[in-house]
Amino acid sequence: MSWLLGRNRQQPTDFSGGADGPDKPEGQTAGERGNDSQLTKAERKAMEAYRFDSSALERAADAAKTLERSRHAREALELSKMQESTRQQEYATKVKEYEAHIEQAKVEQKRIDHEERRKTLIEETKQQQQRAQYQDQLSRKRYEDQLVQQQRVQEENLRKQEESVQRQEAMRRQTIEHEIEMKEKNRLKLLEHELRAKARVDRENRDINLEKIRLKAQEHRTTVLEGIRTAGSVIGAGAEAMLTDWDKVLTAAGGLSLLALGVYSAKGATGVASRYIEARIGKPTLVGETSRFAFLDAIKHPVKYMKRLRSKPADALQGVVLNPKLEERLRDIAIATKNTRINRGFYRNVLMHGPPGTGKTMFAKKLAEHSGMDFAIMTGGDVAPMGKEGVTAIHKVFDWSNTSRRGLLLFVDEADAFLRKRSSERISEDLRAALNAFLYRTSEQNQKFMLVLASNTPEQFDYAINDRLDEMVEFTLPGLEERERLLRLYFDKYVLQPAAAGAKRFKLDTFDYGKTCVKMAQMCEGMSGREISKLGVAWQAAVYASEDGTLTEKMVLDRCRDAVQQHKQKMAWLSEQERADHKSISGASEASKPPLTLTADKL
């Protein structure tokens, strides 16, 4: 309603006011304006509050009159009311928005205050932690400095003590050396005086000594001459008396003949008795190892002999890791051998061939123990050095084998050393004779002994030897599964058991033994059972050589790598001829051949 109150209305010009014009307020005289100019600024403001301008009311009255005369007065009034209500609503909306902004500002302020408080707490906590860490570092450094200082003091004291001990030891050594030197000088001086005195005495008594020597030599010569004269006279008288009497001559000749006959008879009887005793209670020269106790061995080792008598037959495949098919075949051989001994049948001769270190000797011993037989081991390389005595030694071995009551398993190791082909090989006459003797003693099946031959190169055997073999078993290098079993077995035997028993300077670090054995089994391809068994001894040596006596996984793998490298070097050293002779070695890792590995103590 600004137009109604005359705010936006242009005021009419009034020319009747004179010089004062329209700026002169109504009801204010010139005297009053003069009085206002004399008032202060504060008094004028106070007076302005009580003044009233009536011009607005006059304009409102004029407008009301105009509206009353106008035909649109009612619509204008309604429009004015609506505008006023709209302004009030807008004002109320703005007030509410302002209040909402105020509340939001309060919430934001509270959030900011909370965030600032949280940041303050975090910063204070961080400061406290840093302060605590710094204090801890200071205390630790102070403690370390104290320890270093104490160590320096102790080292200094120890150095001073060592220097003092060294000085005392040096003084003691110098004193002892001086005493020894003085004693040596005194001894030399005394010896010198004694020698000089003795030389002086000898010079003074030279004539007397010469006379004594001359008299002693003359007396010895006289005694010898008298003895010779007496012996000659006695012998001459006896010879003269015997030659003059023929009965004495015949008696002497008969006595000498009987004496010679007795000497030669005793020598022959002694030889026969010694051979009989050797066959019964001794063992032949070619036999290096045997389970058959001799009489002297039973006297020397009675406890071992009693244990042998009380021992029961063991399983032939006990402690053996091998292919199932070959295990079944060897078990059949062991059972057949045992039943042959019980029923006193004829034994079958067996050939075991394959690379070295695969357990041929061990299985022969196990076979003898399982069947209840005695076993004897001889080496083919011992026959050739005996020369002409080789034939006699071969016969002694078989004669001794025939005297066994339990039956004997004769194991010939490295049999190809003297059982070579006679047609193509250049062998000496003595070795050929020994081979013929061996063929003669094994020409027929026997009920007293079982022959087991072992060789790395069976293709070098004489055909007659091959004709005497009834069973052939090939021992090959272990496969992946067999190597893993072997490694687990030897790790338990050489590492876990000593560590569990509390052996001195033998500790075991914590790691996965199973995975380590699997990894080593993959690394040890081409190695024999004997080479794998030596890894256990290598692990023990590594423990004994370490500073703290602890076996770690790195040490185990390092020893395994060294063994693999050494195996490769050995294979590289083989000549072309050796590679041709050892075909089983080069082809032992083929999958088509069943692997056999023995895991006993004496591979």
Side-chain angles (χ1 to χ4, degrees):
M1 301 212 10
S2 58
W3 62 272
L4 182 63
L5 298 176
R7 294 179 185 176
N8 297 328
R9 182 178 177 184
Q10 186 177 2
Q11 307 224 0
T13 305
D14 187 6
F15 297 100
S16 62
D20 296 331
D23 294 333
K24 177 184 177 181
E26 187 178 352
Q28 185 178 10
T29 62
E32 293 175 351
R33 287 195 298 270
N35 294 330
D36 291 341
S37 61
Q38 294 178 359
L39 297 176
T40 63
K41 188 176 181 180
E43 290 175 346
R44 284 197 300 269
K45 288 183 177 181
M47 291 297 293
E48 289 290 339
Y50 295 101
R51 288 177 181 176
F52 179 72
D53 187 7
S54 61
S55 60
L57 292 176
E58 292 176 357
R59 289 192 300 272
D62 294 338
K65 290 178 180 180
T66 304
L67 286 174
E68 288 178 357
R69 290 191 297 267
S70 175
R71 59 180 181 177
H72 300 290
R74 186 179 301 277
E75 288 82 356
L77 182 59
E78 293 295 332
L79 180 61
S80 299
K81 290 181 180 180
M82 291 176 64
Q83 289 179 352
E84 187 65 25
S85 63
T86 302
R87 287 193 188 94
Q88 290 178 1
Q89 290 178 0
E90 290 177 356
Y91 178 75
T93 303
K94 290 181 179 180
V95 169
K96 290 182 180 180
E97 290 178 356
Y98 179 72
E99 290 176 355
H101 283 300
I102 291 174
E103 293 296 330
Q104 186 177 1
K106 290 181 180 180
V107 172
E108 185 68 20
Q109 185 65 33
K110 289 182 180 180
R111 187 187 63 79
I112 293 173
D113 294 341
H114 179 72
E115 185 69 21
E116 291 295 331
R117 235 182 352 262
R118 187 181 64 81
K119 290 182 180 179
T120 304
L121 291 176
I122 292 174
E123 189 65 25
E124 290 178 354
T125 305
K126 188 183 296 184
Q127 293 292 335
Q128 291 178 0
Q129 290 179 353
Q130 292 179 355
R131 192 182 302 109
Q133 290 178 358
Y134 182 69
Q135 292 177 356
D136 183 63
Q137 290 177 357
L138 288 178
S139 61
R140 189 182 298 122
K141 186 176 181 181
R142 193 182 303 110
Y143 180 69
E144 290 177 355
D145 293 339
Q146 291 178 358
L147 291 179
V148 171
Q149 187 67 23
Q150 291 178 1
Q151 186 176 2
R152 289 178 181 174
V153 173
Q154 291 177 359
E155 290 178 354
E156 185 67 21
N157 295 334
L158 183 61
R159 186 181 61 80
K160 291 181 180 179
Q161 291 178 2
E162 290 178 352
E163 291 178 354
S164 176
V165 171
Q166 290 177 358
R167 287 195 298 269
Q168 294 177 1
E169 185 67 21
M171 293 176 62
R172 186 180 67 82
R173 190 182 299 109
Q174 291 177 358
T175 304
I176 293 174
E177 290 177 354
H178 181 69
E179 291 179 355
I180 293 174
E181 184 178 0
M182 295 301 296
K183 288 181 180 179
E184 186 67 20
K185 288 182 179 179
N186 294 333
R187 188 180 67 80
L188 291 176
K189 288 181 180 180
L190 181 61
L191 182 60
E192 183 180 359
H193 289 304
E194 289 180 354
L195 292 176
R196 288 179 179 178
K198 186 176 181 181
R200 186 170 60 252
V201 171
D202 290 340
R203 284 196 301 271
E204 292 175 356
N205 299 329
R206 181 179 181 183
D207 298 336
I208 298 174
N209 293 333
L210 291 176
E211 186 64 25
K212 285 182 179 180
I213 294 172
R214 190 180 300 110
L215 291 175
K216 188 181 292 185
Q218 185 177 2
E219 182 179 358
H220 179 69
R221 185 170 54 256
T222 303
T223 303
V224 171
L225 291 175
E226 288 295 332
I228 293 173
R229 291 192 189 98
T230 303
S233 62
V234 170
I235 292 173
E240 183 180 0
M242 187 182 66
L243 292 175
T244 55
D245 190 354
W246 287 101
D247 294 335
K248 293 181 179 180
V249 174
L250 294 175
T251 303
L256 291 175
S257 300
L258 292 174
L259 180 61
L261 180 62
V263 170
Y264 285 107
S265 300
K267 184 177 180 181
T270 303
V272 173
S274 64
R275 287 192 294 271
Y276 178 80
I277 293 172
E278 182 180 4
R280 290 294 178 181
I281 64 175
K283 69 176 182 178
T285 307
L286 285 178
V287 176
E289 181 182 355
T290 179
S291 64
R292 183 178 174 184
F293 270 86
F295 181 72
L296 296 178
D297 293 335
I299 295 175
K300 291 180 181 179
H301 309 286
V303 177
K304 189 175 181 181
Y305 181 71
M306 294 302 296
K307 288 183 179 180
R308 170 69 191 283
L309 292 178
R310 294 179 181 179
S311 64
K312 297 180 180 180
D315 187 6
L317 300 177
Q318 183 179 1
V320 177
V321 178
L322 69 167
N323 185 272
K325 293 183 179 179
L326 194 53
E327 178 182 357
E328 182 180 358
R329 183 179 178 188
L330 292 177
R331 193 176 298 278
D332 291 341
I333 294 175
I335 295 173
T337 304
K338 181 177 180 180
N339 293 329
T340 300
R341 186 192 68 82
I342 295 174
N343 298 317
R344 297 182 180 180
F346 291 96
Y347 293 105
R348 304 182 71 199
N349 300 327
V350 180
L351 169 65
M352 295 187 293
H353 62 96
T358 51
K360 297 182 288 294
T361 305
M362 177 55 203
F363 179 73
K365 293 181 181 179
K366 288 274 188 179
L367 180 61
E369 293 176 1
H370 172 73
S371 58
M373 301 171 65
D374 295 322
F375 72 85
I377 301 176
M378 62 172 286
T379 305
D382 294 339
V383 178
M386 299 186 72
K388 295 181 180 180
E389 298 295 329
V391 176
T392 305
I394 292 292
H395 286 296
K396 286 183 178 180
V397 169
F398 285 101
D399 291 338
W400 177 74
S401 301
N402 288 326
T403 59
S404 176
R405 296 181 180 179
R406 303 173 57 187
L408 181 75
L409 189 147
L410 180 60
F411 180 76
V412 184
D413 197 10
E414 303 297 337
D416 54 277
F418 79 104
L419 300 180
R420 294 176 174 269
K421 297 177 181 179
R422 291 170 291 180
S423 59
S424 59
E425 297 288 342
R426 294 181 180 180
I427 60 177
S428 63
E429 292 298 327
D430 297 333
L431 196 60
R432 186 184 296 272
L435 174 58
N436 291 332
F438 186 87
L439 293 173
Y440 171 74
R441 299 305 297 262
T442 58
S443 60
E444 296 179 355
Q445 299 294 117
N446 199 289
Q447 294 178 326
K448 291 292 186 179
F449 63 88
M450 176 181 179
L451 184 63
V452 178
L453 304 182
S455 174
N456 300 330
T457 56
E459 61 272 10
Q460 297 182 359
F461 280 153
D462 189 84
Y463 178 75
I465 296 296
N466 294 333
D467 186 59
R468 283 159 173 76
L469 298 175
D470 304 312
E471 191 80 24
M472 292 189 296
V473 181
E474 182 180 7
F475 288 72
T476 58
L477 295 176
L480 179 61
E481 295 182 0
E482 287 74 22
R483 292 195 299 270
E484 182 180 349
R485 294 181 190 175
L486 280 172
L487 289 167
R488 290 178 183 273
L489 177 67
Y490 291 128
F491 193 88
D492 178 73
K493 178 181 178 181
Y494 291 103
V495 177
L496 294 180
Q497 292 182 6
K504 191 175 182 181
R505 277 189 58 83
F506 202 107
K507 300 177 182 178
L508 182 61
D509 196 9
T510 302
F511 59 92
D512 194 341
Y513 316 133
K515 292 184 179 178
T516 305
C517 291
V518 171
K519 187 184 300 182
M520 289 189 295
Q522 296 175 354
M523 296 167 56
C524 297
E525 183 178 1
M527 296 178 63
S528 64
R530 182 187 290 118
E531 290 175 316
I532 295 175
S533 68
K534 291 180 180 179
L535 278 176
V537 182
W539 294 331
Q540 289 187 348
V543 175
Y544 299 146
S546 63
E547 295 181 357
D548 55 352
T550 302
L551 182 65
T552 62
E553 184 178 8
K554 183 178 180 300
M555 296 165 62
V556 172
L557 294 177
D558 288 344
R559 291 300 182 275
C560 183
R561 293 189 186 97
D562 294 341
V564 172
Q565 186 64 30
Q566 293 173 10
H567 170 74
K568 292 180 180 179
Q569 184 64 47
K570 293 175 184 177
M571 292 295 103
W573 285 342
L574 293 177
S575 63
E576 295 298 330
Q577 182 63 31
E578 288 174 333
R579 291 179 187 276
D581 292 341
H582 294 74
K583 294 179 181 178
S584 57
I585 297 179
S586 60
S589 60
E590 296 180 1
S592 59
K593 295 182 179 180
L596 168 65
T597 303
L598 298 177
T599 61
D601 299 340
K602 298 181 179 179
L603 274 173

